[in-house]
Amino acid sequence: MKHHVRRIGCMLGLLAVLAGGCMTGKSKPAGEPMDPELLRAADAAHAAYMAGSLNTAIELYGIALKRARLMDNGVEIARNAYNLAVCQTAAGRLDEGRKLVRESKLESMPNSFQAGLADLVEAKIMWRKGKTEETVLLLESAQRAFGTKPPAHVAAQVHLLFAAVACAGGDLTKAKKEWGTAQDIGFDKDFNLAADAEEIGARILLRERAYEDAGRQFDREVDLLRKGGRFSDMATALKDAGEAYEKAGFYELAADRMFRAGRSRLAAEGKFAAMPWLQRAAALSEKSGNVTLRNRSAEALIQE
């Protein structure tokens, strides 16, 4: 079972930076009126994001960024390149996201809060790309830019990502400390940050071979991801819960979670993508001896 935490920083978990420390809106350079065309595009992009329409948000932030470049408006280039980077990264386009976040940093004041936000987004990109050293360097740069009292939602994300890095590296003492600090800060009803925290907590428990507890923590992550609308991540968390319960010897729970993971993936991506999980669910159902679970898995496997 893999111990690396990679869901953190996916879709809305990453966009929590935008939602809480948002660069969208009507702020402008002192004495300079806001361009109506740029404002309409940026406001519509933010509304699309809030409605969960990521592709629409990407298109509209692209329009806003193009307008900002045309106007040679560095403040709006930084703002809209950042927001577009967040959206592109959420869509899994990591290289495009990194290029955009670097453009934002070039137009931001060095060591400013805005530059720190850009560093945090790039850290999440590099973590998702498996670049641990780069992730740590960017997190440390972000911390310096944020200073001693960053907003709670930002500080929590930094500590969670440090915890993820430490857990993946086997430093459970540091992982627990960073995770505990994030918990103490709290997530202010942010389902996505709370989901990230549950995943990291579960990964720590896996390292400690506390498989049943890890499964239950993955279950809590599943509930939070569902509430946050991160259904692809939810399916993967269900699969992780199934693997943890299998390790713990709870085959009925393992079969149930694996089936639900496969069913969700079947709806999202089709039979080819879902087949491995559904087959594992069927095997676990056989192992559990639960006829209902076995029949449910078998029925899913023959669906077109």
Side-chain angles (χ1 to χ4, degrees):
M1 187 179 295
K2 293 182 180 179
H3 295 294
H4 289 270
V5 185
R6 292 284 176 237
R7 276 195 296 282
I8 185 171
C10 294
M11 195 173 178
L12 297 178
L14 178 60
L15 287 168
V17 177
L18 185 151
C22 183
M23 292 189 188
T24 56
K26 299 181 174 58
S27 61
K28 58 184 181 297
E32 183 176 331
M34 188 64 167
D35 178 71
E37 185 176 333
L38 191 156
L39 177 60
R40 280 194 299 271
D43 281 356
H46 189 241
Y49 154 67
M50 294 300 291
S53 300
L54 187 60
N55 289 333
T56 301
I58 288 171
E59 179 182 356
L60 290 166
Y61 275 131
I63 292 171
L65 177 57
K66 185 176 181 180
R67 183 70 176 175
R69 290 167 177 162
L70 174 68
M71 296 168 59
D72 188 34
N73 186 325
V75 170
E76 292 302 328
I77 291 171
R79 187 191 323 276
N80 288 286
Y82 168 86
N83 286 334
L84 183 55
V86 169
C87 292
Q88 292 283 24
T89 302
R93 301 165 191 152
L94 303 184
D95 291 334
E96 183 64 20
R98 191 181 187 202
K99 181 174 73 173
L100 286 161
V101 84
R102 287 188 163 192
E103 180 179 8
S104 178
K105 278 195 279 191
L106 286 172
E107 297 296 333
S108 302
M109 291 289 292
N111 300 315
S112 64
F113 182 80
Q114 183 166 314
L117 287 177
D119 279 336
L120 179 55
V121 173
E122 189 174 3
K124 292 184 175 187
I125 291 171
M126 299 311 290
W127 179 242
R128 291 180 65 182
K129 289 169 74 72
K131 305 291 186 181
T132 302
E133 288 187 18
E134 291 91 334
T135 299
V136 172
L137 289 173
L138 286 160
L139 280 174
E140 290 172 345
S141 177
Q143 279 190 314
R144 289 192 294 272
F146 293 147
T148 57
K149 292 185 178 180
H153 73 280
V154 172
Q157 290 180 78
V158 171
H159 288 293
L160 285 176
L161 193 46
F162 270 128
V165 172
C167 179
D171 187 348
L172 297 188
T173 299
K174 182 174 182 181
K176 288 179 178 180
K177 180 181 178 181
E178 295 286 356
W179 185 81
T181 300
Q183 291 283 350
D184 290 342
I185 292 170
F187 310 116
D188 194 26
K189 299 181 181 179
D190 186 320
F191 296 136
N192 296 291
L193 279 181
D196 288 343
E198 293 293 349
E199 184 198 0
I200 294 165
R203 299 291 176 190
I204 292 170
L205 290 167
L206 289 178
R207 285 283 194 178
E208 296 178 325
R209 302 180 184 275
Y211 298 122
E212 181 184 359
D213 290 339
R216 298 196 187 286
Q217 195 135 9
F218 280 129
D219 281 343
R220 290 194 289 273
E221 182 197 5
V222 166
D223 290 339
L224 290 162
L225 291 170
R226 186 185 298 110
K227 290 175 182 177
R230 290 167 60 184
F231 300 119
S232 177
D233 290 338
M234 180 198 74
T236 304
L238 279 165
K239 184 267 297 181
D240 290 339
E243 290 179 340
Y245 284 129
E246 181 182 9
K247 288 277 189 180
F250 293 97
Y251 298 117
E252 287 192 17
L253 290 174
D256 173 77
R257 303 307 188 268
M258 199 65 68
F259 168 78
R260 288 161 55 194
R263 180 176 60 186
S264 181
R265 178 161 283 189
L266 180 67
E269 302 179 39
K271 192 169 184 178
F272 181 79
M275 185 63 72
W277 292 357
L278 291 173
Q279 288 174 333
R280 289 186 67 186
L284 288 163
S285 297
E286 289 285 349
K287 203 168 186 177
S288 74
N290 186 308
V291 175
T292 301
L293 288 173
R294 185 172 66 241
N295 291 342
R296 186 171 66 165
S297 299
E299 182 67 25
L301 285 168
I302 64 174
Q303 287 182 13
E304 293 296 331

